[in-house]
Amino acid sequence: MEKTNQLLVGIDLGQKVTQISCFDRKTYEAVPIGVPDEYREETCYEIPSAIKWMPDTGIWRLCCQMGDGSEEIVFEDLLTLAESETCECKGHSIATAEIIEHYLLKLLHVINVQFPNEMLERLVITVPGKTPELVKKLQKAGQSLGIWPDRMTIQNYRLSYMYYAVSQPKELWLNNVGLFSFDRNRLLYSQIHIDRRTLPWIVGVTEKDLTDQLDYSMLEDPGVDSTYAFVTTAGTVLHKQMVTTLYVTGEAFEGAWAEEALQQLCNGRRVFRGQNIYTKGACYAARELSGAGKLEQCMFLDEEMITANVSLRVYHEAQMQDLVLAKAGSVWDEVDVSVDVIPDKEYEIQITAQDVIKHQTNAHMLSLSGFAGRENKTTRFTVRVRFADRETCIVTLKDNGFGEVSPTSNRIWERCIKL
């Protein structure tokens, strides 16, 4: 039964602005969610990535919401702010984790106001880059609000771009898909490639930083032909590439020069310009993670994801089978899976790594000699799988004993497996 009263939400937490989108189950599209702009009596869809605090009353407000005349302290550039533990401003010291939590709470309140009778089923927050400090503070905020980790996911722009592109009509991604992202910091080209030789299809992305060829300051230089400069730069990465669909995003493309430039790129291609690619991609990811998606034939892989299925060979339900502990396409630092096992005349366990890109399967045998001397089926141990990096799997065996029959030795064995 379709969950019509549960929300699937994507939030693009950008450097300067934040955007929210919600999945419409009737149109099967991601639609924007805005905040009433009380200054201009219109809806603000590009919410400043900043929040203001009234020390006298302790009230927090989004920066597009009107104050009450009290003294305000504005915390801007939240992504950079999150890299520090505390923020000092006007004699006040406040933990940045608390600032992030209040900001996320305000965003969720915006959604709740528009959908008062619906519950949040899945939230995906997408950010330009997943730094450890930013992720830690977002996770802490989500935990305080009761949505992490069961209903909340954090992903980077690359993955949101992939979800967005492959959620469009199929004719737009039959060939490779390109994206130019151009803001004040850099010009980045990302190209999606799809390997259809296996099922599921492998969807990956490669990136190239073009800032050394064209940066934002050059657009403001009257001596530079911005249209010619961009088209020339784009031509260097698109040369001999089967790219029939292009997306462009970023504040740089809001300039008048972009109209002619994009017209020139339309030769043999379809070009789309928009500022909500990442929030919509996050929303489509929420749809897939909720189980309501239609992209089962695709596996998304980027540099943060493992490329192999890691499984444990077990005897279960009267047959030998591979119990998958970590799936290819999982973000490596989010994998932490444990399972309890009781050996039956076995002296080793088998961990299998099946690489979906190299199409190779490697079996790794882990000795159970540490349990020698016990009667059969009187040992229970935990197999735990996590990752040190994308290519290094850590397998841990912990002796749990077997009640009074075989007390635990509390011993732990650990082995690193290169995928």
Side-chain angles (χ1 to χ4, degrees), residues 234-295:
T236 62
V237 293
L238 295 173
H239 183 61
K240 293 185 178 180
Q241 297 290 321
M242 186 61 70
V243 177
T244 53
T245 301
L246 273 178
Y247 298 100
V248 299
T249 189
E251 61 179 314
F253 291 110
E254 296 175 357
W257 67 272
E259 294 292 339
E260 183 180 349
L262 299 184
Q263 284 292 332
Q264 294 185 36
L265 289 182
C266 283
N267 185 18
R269 306 182 188 92
R270 299 181 69 175
V271 180
F272 302 88
R273 175 170 54 178
Q275 305 297 353
N276 54 8
I277 286 177
Y278 300 126
T279 179
K280 285 190 172 184
C283 190
Y284 292 132
R287 175 194 65 190
E288 296 301 317
L289 293 171
S290 74
K294 295 184 177 180
L295 300 178

Side-chain angles (χ1 to χ4, degrees), residues 321-339:
Q321 54 185 282
D322 290 317
L323 175 64
V324 178
L325 301 179
K327 296 178 65 175
S330 301
V331 178
W332 69 265
D333 59 357
E334 295 180 0
V335 175
D336 193 345
V337 180
S338 298
V339 60

Side-chain angles (χ1 to χ4, degrees), residues 158-383:
R158 287 189 304 275
L159 188 53
S160 295
Y161 161 45
M162 286 192 279
Y163 271 109
Y164 176 82
V166 182
S167 295
Q168 302 309 302
K170 196 171 183 177
E171 60 268 20
L172 294 179
W173 49 275
L174 282 175
N175 298 311
N176 294 336
V177 182
L179 168 70
F180 287 100
S181 178
F182 196 4
D183 56 27
R184 293 181 181 272
N185 296 320
R186 63 176 181 171
L187 169 59
L188 184 68
Y189 175 71
S190 306
Q191 183 168 310
I192 291 176
H193 43 87
I194 303 175
D195 184 351
R196 296 180 174 84
R197 293 173 295 180
T198 60
L199 283 175
W201 296 343
I202 307 299
V203 182
V205 62
T206 56
E207 293 182 336
K208 187 170 183 179
D209 194 327
L210 304 173
T211 312
D212 59 341
Q213 300 179 43
L214 178 63
D215 62 35
Y216 195 90
S217 64
M218 296 173 66
L219 303 180
E220 300 172 328
D221 186 344
V224 175
D225 186 338
S226 300
T227 298
Y228 174 80
F230 174 74
V231 172
T232 301
T233 301
T236 62
V237 293
L238 295 173
H239 183 61
K240 293 185 178 180
Q241 297 290 321
M242 186 61 70
V243 177
T244 53
T245 301
L246 273 178
Y247 298 100
V248 299
T249 189
E251 61 179 314
F253 291 110
E254 296 175 357
W257 67 272
E259 294 292 339
E260 183 180 349
L262 299 184
Q263 284 292 332
Q264 294 185 36
L265 289 182
C266 283
N267 185 18
R269 306 182 188 92
R270 299 181 69 175
V271 180
F272 302 88
R273 175 170 54 178
Q275 305 297 353
N276 54 8
I277 286 177
Y278 300 126
T279 179
K280 285 190 172 184
C283 190
Y284 292 132
R287 175 194 65 190
E288 296 301 317
L289 293 171
S290 74
K294 295 184 177 180
L295 300 178
E296 296 87 351
Q297 80 276 21
C298 296
M299 178 182 294
F300 299 90
L301 291 177
D302 76 355
E303 61 185 22
E304 293 185 347
M305 299 176 177
I306 61 175
T307 60
N309 293 312
V310 179
S311 58
L312 172 65
R313 190 71 171 165
V314 297
Y315 184 79
H316 184 59
E317 295 181 346
Q319 63 179 342
M320 294 300 297
Q321 54 185 282
D322 290 317
L323 175 64
V324 178
L325 301 179
K327 296 178 65 175
S330 301
V331 178
W332 69 265
D333 59 357
E334 295 180 0
V335 175
D336 193 345
V337 180
S338 298
V339 60
D340 286 350
V341 178
I342 300 175
D344 182 8
K345 296 180 181 180
E346 295 170 314
Y347 303 98
E348 57 187 8
I349 63 171
Q350 177 178 313
I351 299 292
T352 303
Q354 181 184 25
D355 195 298
V356 298
I357 295 181
K358 298 177 182 177
H359 307 295
Q360 296 177 352
T361 301
N362 295 315
H364 304 268
M365 309 306 296
L366 279 67
S367 173
L368 299 179
S369 59
F371 302 107
R374 295 180 181 175
E375 295 185 17
N376 191 43
K377 295 185 180 180
T378 62
T379 295
R380 179 174 59 89
F381 63 91
T382 298
V383 180

